[in-house]
Amino acid sequence: MIGIIVSGHINFATGMQSAVEAIVGEQESLEFIDFVPSMTTEQLEEQMLSSIEKMNDGSGVLILTDVPGGSPCNRGVSIMLNRSDVKVLAGCNLPMITNACFERDGISLEELAEVVCEIGLQSMKDMAKEIARLENNNSDSFEDEL
């Protein structure tokens, strides 16, 4: 099973943890690492490496971070550049994390990264435009389509 690390600034990861567990329940090989002000970036990377070693059964580990170019992303990329069994996706949201949990069995790390990126793109919606689109289609099932 592909391992998943969620990391971000302050309480991003643990905030996501409570939402993810409410939706998908507790999961194996899923860890949440907050980058808090009392930590150095070296400590963050050490925690990530420790989690990777603990979770990786040979299927690889997907690291999902909050901000492209932020310290969690940069430390994940530093690890990824030295390992072929780690992928990093930055700018993650709740649908990406929950779907990564659902989709990670039976596919490769590369395939999971592609699926999760696509879910992230599809989950971004301007709701005013969505309502207008549905009204223009004369849809009777507005609530079902959202």
Side-chain angles (χ1 to χ4, degrees):
M1 173 187 304
I2 296 170
I4 300 169
I5 295 173
V6 178
S7 186
H9 295 83
I10 313 301
N11 298 112
F12 174 83
T14 51
M16 285 292 184
Q17 180 178 10
S18 59
V20 169
E21 288 177 354
I23 295 168
V24 301
E26 287 192 34
Q27 297 281 306
E28 292 180 40
S29 299
L30 173 62
E31 299 210 359
F32 297 85
I33 302 171
D34 286 324
F35 179 52
V36 295
S38 61
M39 292 175 78
T40 66
T41 55
E42 291 79 15
Q43 290 170 322
L44 174 62
E45 187 169 336
E46 288 170 16
Q47 276 194 300
M48 288 178 169
L49 286 166
S50 176
S51 292
I52 290 167
E53 293 309 314
K54 183 171 39 171
M55 289 190 295
N56 193 0
D57 66 1
S59 302
V61 174
L62 181 64
I63 300 175
L64 302 171
T65 70
D66 58 349
V67 180
S71 294
C73 173
N74 292 344
R75 287 304 171 156
V77 168
S78 175
I79 294 167
M80 181 183 71
L81 291 174
N82 294 304
R83 300 180 66 132
S84 62
D85 59 349
V86 173
K87 293 278 293 176
V88 177
L89 301 180
C92 78
N93 58 33
L94 184 58
M96 293 170 73
I97 301 167
T98 56
N99 280 282
C101 293
F102 290 133
E103 302 289 338
R104 64 183 164 157
D105 290 327
I107 65 174
S108 71
L109 180 59
E110 184 67 36
E111 290 168 324
L112 180 61
E114 288 177 25
V115 166
V116 171
C117 275
E118 185 62 32
I119 289 166
L121 293 171
Q122 291 174 1
S123 67
M124 300 289 294
K125 304 284 183 190
D126 177 331
M127 294 312 295
K129 288 180 181 177
E130 286 296 301
I131 290 168
R133 180 185 65 79
L134 293 171
E135 287 174 345
N136 288 337
N137 289 337
N138 294 322
S139 176
D140 293 329
S141 59
F142 168 71
E143 291 180 0
D144 291 339
E145 291 193 35
L146 289 180

